[in-house]
Amino acid sequence: MEGTESRSGTSSVVADWSLVFWTLCSVLLPVLITLWCSFQRSRRRVLIQDIFRKSKHDWHYTDLFGQPSYCCVCTQHILQGAFCNCCGLRVSEGCLKKADQLFLCKEIMMRSNGGAHSSMPHHWIRGNVPLCSCCMICKQQCGTQPKLCDYRCAWCQCTVHDECMMDCLKTEECTFGEFRDLIIPPYYLSTINQIRKEKRSNYEKVVPFCRKHWMPVIILANTRSGNNMGETLLGEFKILLNPVQVFDLSKIAPAKALQLCTMLPCNTVRVLVCGGDGTVGWVLDAIDEMKIKGQERYIPQVAILPLGTGNDLSNTLGWGAGYAGEVPVEQILRNVMEADGVKLDRWKVQVTNKGYYNLRKPKVFTMNNYFSIGPDALMALNFHAHREKTPSLFSSRIINKAVYFFYGTKDCLVQECKDLNKKVELELDGERIELPNLEGIIVLNIGYWGGGCRLWEGMGDEPYPLARHDDGLLEVVGVHGSFHCAQIQVKLANPVRLGQAHTVRLILKSSKMPMQVDGEPWAQGPCTVTITHKTHALMLYHSGEQTDDDASSVSEQDPAREQTDEDV
C-alpha cells in the first residue's frame, strides 16, 4: 500500500513538472522566435541601409509595390524590394548588390572626355514600364505580358517592345521627350563646369538643343508639409527630370538650392515649391537674399503645389486649395510650363514694443498673405502650441482643420479677444479710423483668407473693388468674433470693411493680444505695428479650372494681370 502511494506521489510530481515545462515552452518559444526574427530583421535592415549608402542609385525599400513588378536582375515576380527614385529600377532584396554592378543610374552630369557634348543617347531600363504606355516603333501597348519585358528610357520616358528594340535605338540621340524644355541636360552641366574652370560666365550661350523657349524648372519640396506627400513627389519628379533639379527642403535650405539658378541662363528659371504657404514664404525670403547678393538677374519665377493646410496664396494664384495626388505629376509640369508671370506684393511688418526702457530692436516680419490680431490669431497660436507638443498628430490636412475648428468653437464660448476696439488704435495712410465693437482686425494682401474664403468681397451684395495682390494696396477688415469668422466662411455674413491703404499702423495700448503674420502666431504686449511695402516677388499664375465663386473675380482681374505680365 505504501509503495503504491509513493509511486502515485512520484507520478504526480512528474506530471506537475511536465506541465510546468510545457507551459514554459509554450510561453518562451514564441518570445524567442519573435526576438530572433526581430534581430534578423534589424540586421537585414542595417545591411540594406549600408548598400543604399554606398550605391550610386537612389534606392528606397518598400514592403509592397503598388503595381505588378519584376526584378531587373533575376526577372522574378516580386512583391517587396527596392526601387530607384531616379531611374526606376526595381530589384529584389537579394539582388541589390548585383543591380549596383550591372546597371548605371541616371547621370546628373556627363563625364568629360576632353570635348564638349551637345547630345546623349537613350538610357534604357528593361521591364516595369508604366501602364498604358505605347511602343515608339509599332505604337502598340507595352508591358502587357506577365514577365520582365520591354524597355523604357529614363530620360524621355519613351517605351519600346523587346522585339522592336534595334541596335540603332541603343545609340540613338535622346530628345528628352515632352519635358525637354524643363530638363537640365547632363551635358549642359558638364559644359558649365568646364566654363567655370576657365573662369568664364557666359552661360547664356550654352543653351541646350538651341531652343528659344528653354525654361528649366527647379523642384523644392517640403516633405514635412500638410499631408506628407512630399516624399512621393520627390521620387516622381526625379524620374521625369534630372535628379539635380529636385531638392528636399528638410535636408537642404532654399538659399543653397537656389544657387543652381546662377548656373542657368538669366530670366529663364522656374521654381515649383511643393509645400504650404509657410514654405513658399521661406523660398521667397531666400530669393530676396539673392537680390541682396547682386544675383537679381538670376531671380526665378515661382509656382506652387499646395501641400499645406490653408494654402491661401496658392489659391489666389490659381494653383488650388490643396493637392492630394488627384492630378498626375506630368500634368503639374505641363501647368508650370503654361503658367503666366505675375507680381506679388511683399510687405514689411515692424512690431515695436512700448516701454520706458525699451532697448530691444523691433521685430520685423515679411508678409505675403495677411496680418491679424484677434480670434483667428488666437486659434493659430493654440494650434501652434499643440503641434509643438505632439507634432506626430498633425500629419493630415483634415486633422489640422479639425483642431482649428475645436479652438474656434472654444473661443466662441470664452471670447478672449472681446472689446478689441477699446484696446487698439488703427491708422490707414496716416488717417485715424473709428472702430466699431470688434474682436479682431485682419490686414489682407491676397484675395483668399482662412482656407479658401474671399474675405474682402464677402457675399458680393455690395459693390466693393476686388482685392488684388499686385496693386500696392492692403485691405483692412474687422470681425466680431470666432462665430462671425465661421459665418463669413460659409457666406452667411460679411466682414466689417474698414478700408484700403498703402500703409497700415496699429497701436495696441494695453493688455496682451494674439497676433499672427502668415500663420506664424505669437502673444504680444503693448506695441506699435507698422506695415509698409517691401518688394515684389515674381510668381506664376495658373489660369486652369476655377470654382464658380472666383471665376467672375478672376475674369475682372485678367486685363490688369496681362499688363503686369508685360512688365515682368
Side-chain angles (χ1 to χ4, degrees):
M1 181 70 77
E2 290 179 1
T4 304
E5 289 178 358
S6 64
R7 282 196 300 271
S8 63
T10 303
S11 62
S12 64
V13 170
V14 171
D16 289 343
W17 279 107
S18 177
L19 179 63
V20 170
F21 173 77
W22 288 112
T23 302
L24 287 174
C25 287
S26 63
V27 172
L28 292 177
L29 189 60
V31 172
L32 292 174
I33 292 174
T34 303
L35 290 174
W36 183 82
C37 291
S38 178
F39 171 75
Q40 291 295 326
R41 193 182 300 112
S42 61
R43 183 170 173 269
R44 186 183 66 187
R45 192 178 296 117
V46 169
L47 292 173
I48 291 174
Q49 290 299 326
D50 186 57
I51 295 173
F52 286 2
R53 188 170 56 255
K54 296 177 181 178
S55 175
K56 293 183 179 179
H57 290 274
D58 185 17
W59 293 117
H60 285 261
Y61 190 82
T62 180
D63 289 323
L64 183 65
F65 286 108
Q67 66 182 66
S69 300
Y70 300 87
C71 177
C72 292
V73 178
C74 65
T75 73
Q76 298 298 310
H77 179 259
I78 52 176
L79 294 176
Q80 62 182 25
F83 64 94
C84 177
N85 261 343
C86 296
C87 65
L89 272 179
R90 300 189 181 196
V91 296
S92 62
E93 185 181 318
C95 297
L96 267 172
K97 287 187 177 180
K98 286 186 179 178
D100 269 337
Q101 297 169 0
L102 295 175
F103 303 107
L104 294 174
C105 194
K106 289 167 75 170
E107 289 184 303
I108 62 173
M109 186 168 68
M110 287 188 71
R111 299 182 182 88
S112 178
N113 294 323
H117 298 272
S118 59
S119 63
M120 60 183 292
H122 290 287
H123 185 125
W124 295 110
I125 301 293
R126 186 157 187 257
N128 304 306
V129 299
L131 301 175
C132 302
S133 57
C134 294
C135 176
M136 62 184 294
I137 303 298
C138 66
K139 310 303 179 186
Q140 299 298 313
Q141 187 174 348
C142 288
T144 55
Q145 301 181 51
K147 63 178 183 178
L148 188 77
C149 62
D150 305 337
Y151 291 85
R152 174 187 59 85
C153 175
W155 287 106
C156 66
Q157 310 305 318
C158 288
T159 54
V160 61
H161 289 120
D162 288 332
E163 55 271 20
C164 296
M165 174 61 77
M166 298 174 286
D167 290 338
C168 61
L169 283 178
K170 294 181 179 180
T171 57
E172 183 183 66
E173 178 183 334
C174 181
T175 63
F176 292 93
E178 179 184 359
F179 303 113
R180 56 186 171 273
D181 286 340
L182 299 178
I183 294 174
I184 302 175
Y187 58 77
Y188 173 85
L189 292 175
S190 61
T191 306
I192 293 298
N193 191 41
Q194 186 64 32
I195 289 176
R196 284 197 163 188
K197 287 180 180 178
E198 297 171 3
K199 297 183 179 180
R200 292 184 289 147
S201 59
N202 52 340
Y203 303 153
E204 291 83 357
K205 296 180 181 179
V206 194
V207 179
F209 327 113
C210 298
R211 299 184 67 85
K212 295 181 180 178
H213 304 292
W214 188 45
M215 52 178 79
V217 66
I218 296 175
I219 309 295
L220 304 179
N222 188 350
T223 54
R224 297 172 182 171
S225 284
N227 52 4
N228 292 328
M229 287 200 63
E231 193 73 39
T232 303
L233 288 168
L234 281 173
E236 293 183 7
F237 281 122
K238 284 180 179 179
I239 288 286
L240 296 174
L241 305 171
N242 189 332
V244 78
Q245 299 172 244
V246 185
F247 296 92
D248 182 354
L249 292 183
S250 66
K251 298 178 180 178
I252 185 170
K256 191 171 182 180
L258 289 171
Q259 287 306 300
L260 180 59
C261 297
T262 62
M263 301 179 67
L264 300 166
C266 302
N267 304 316
T268 60
V269 183
R270 298 191 166 196
V271 169
L272 176 62
V273 181
C274 307
D277 288 346
T279 305
V280 177
W282 188 20
V283 172
L284 294 181
D285 288 340
I287 291 175
D288 285 345
E289 290 179 19
M290 292 178 67
K291 296 178 184 177
I292 296 172
K293 293 177 182 177
Q295 299 173 343
E296 194 158 358
R297 59 188 183 136
Y298 298 111
I299 296 300
Q301 294 175 303
V302 180
I304 306 171
L305 184 61
L307 301 182
T309 302
N311 305 312
D312 290 306
L313 179 57
S314 169
N315 217 355
T316 299
L317 296 174
W319 297 99
Y323 178 76
E326 67 277 6
V327 179
V329 171
E330 293 84 355
Q331 185 57 47
I332 293 170
L333 292 177
R334 293 184 196 108
N335 293 342
V336 172
M337 283 195 289
E338 297 166 1
D340 303 316
V342 296
K343 288 184 178 180
L344 172 72
D345 290 324
R346 304 192 77 210
W347 300 82
K348 176 184 175 183
V349 180
Q350 181 171 302
V351 182
T352 307
N353 294 316
K354 285 187 177 181
Y356 294 106
Y357 304 103
N358 182 25
L359 301 177
R360 294 181 184 177
K361 290 183 179 180
K363 289 187 284 188
V364 179
F365 303 88
T366 300
M367 183 184 84
N368 302 312
N369 299 1
Y370 35 71
F371 162 86
S372 70
I373 175 173
D376 67 323
L378 179 62
M379 284 186 278
L381 184 62
N382 289 330
F383 174 85
H384 183 74
H386 199 164
R387 184 169 60 179
E388 288 292 311
K389 291 180 181 178
T390 53
S392 59
L393 294 178
F394 296 84
S395 59
S396 165
R397 191 180 291 131
I398 295 175
I399 292 175
N400 294 351
K401 291 189 175 183
V403 174
Y404 265 106
F405 175 77
F406 167 76
Y407 284 119
T409 306
K410 176 185 173 184
D411 187 60
C412 288
L413 303 173
V414 180
Q415 293 184 319
E416 294 183 35
C417 304
K418 64 181 179 180
D419 298 327
L420 179 70
N421 53 298
K422 298 177 182 178
K423 302 174 184 177
V424 302
E425 293 179 4
L426 178 66
E427 294 179 7
L428 301 183
D429 289 336
E431 182 180 345
R432 175 85 177 271
I433 303 297
E434 290 298 326
L435 296 174
N437 185 22
L438 297 173
E439 286 192 25
I441 294 174
I442 303 168
V443 182
L444 298 159
N445 178 47
I446 60 176
Y448 285 92
W449 163 86
C453 171
R454 294 196 70 90
L455 186 60
W456 177 252
E457 290 86 358
M459 293 165 57
D461 55 350
E462 300 175 37
Y464 275 86
L466 295 173
R468 292 182 56 83
H469 49 76
D470 58 356
D471 58 358
L473 282 173
L474 293 166
E475 288 74 38
V476 186
V477 301
V479 293
H480 296 302
S482 296
F483 186 68
H484 187 206
C485 290
Q487 286 180 307
I488 293 170
Q489 288 187 320
V490 296
K491 299 184 179 179
L492 292 177
N494 277 328
V496 180
R497 298 179 181 89
L498 301 173
Q500 292 179 298
H502 297 89
T503 303
V504 175
R505 190 164 179 259
L506 188 145
I507 302 170
L508 178 59
K509 296 181 289 187
S510 61
S511 73
K512 183 176 283 190
M513 293 291 292
M515 295 184 180
Q516 71 152 338
V517 174
D518 290 351
E520 183 179 339
W522 74 97
Q524 178 65 48
C527 69
T528 299
V529 180
T530 307
I531 306 177
T532 54
H533 193 270
K534 180 183 178 182
T535 185
H536 283 106
L538 301 180
M539 308 298 290
L540 289 170
Y541 181 90
H542 173 51
S543 54
E545 295 182 3
Q546 300 163 1
T547 62
D548 295 338
D549 297 333
D550 56 37
S552 58
S553 62
V554 171
S555 64
E556 291 185 36
Q557 290 185 23
D558 276 346
R561 186 170 58 80
E562 288 171 6
Q563 181 63 41
T564 306
D565 293 347
E566 295 176 7
D567 297 338
V568 174

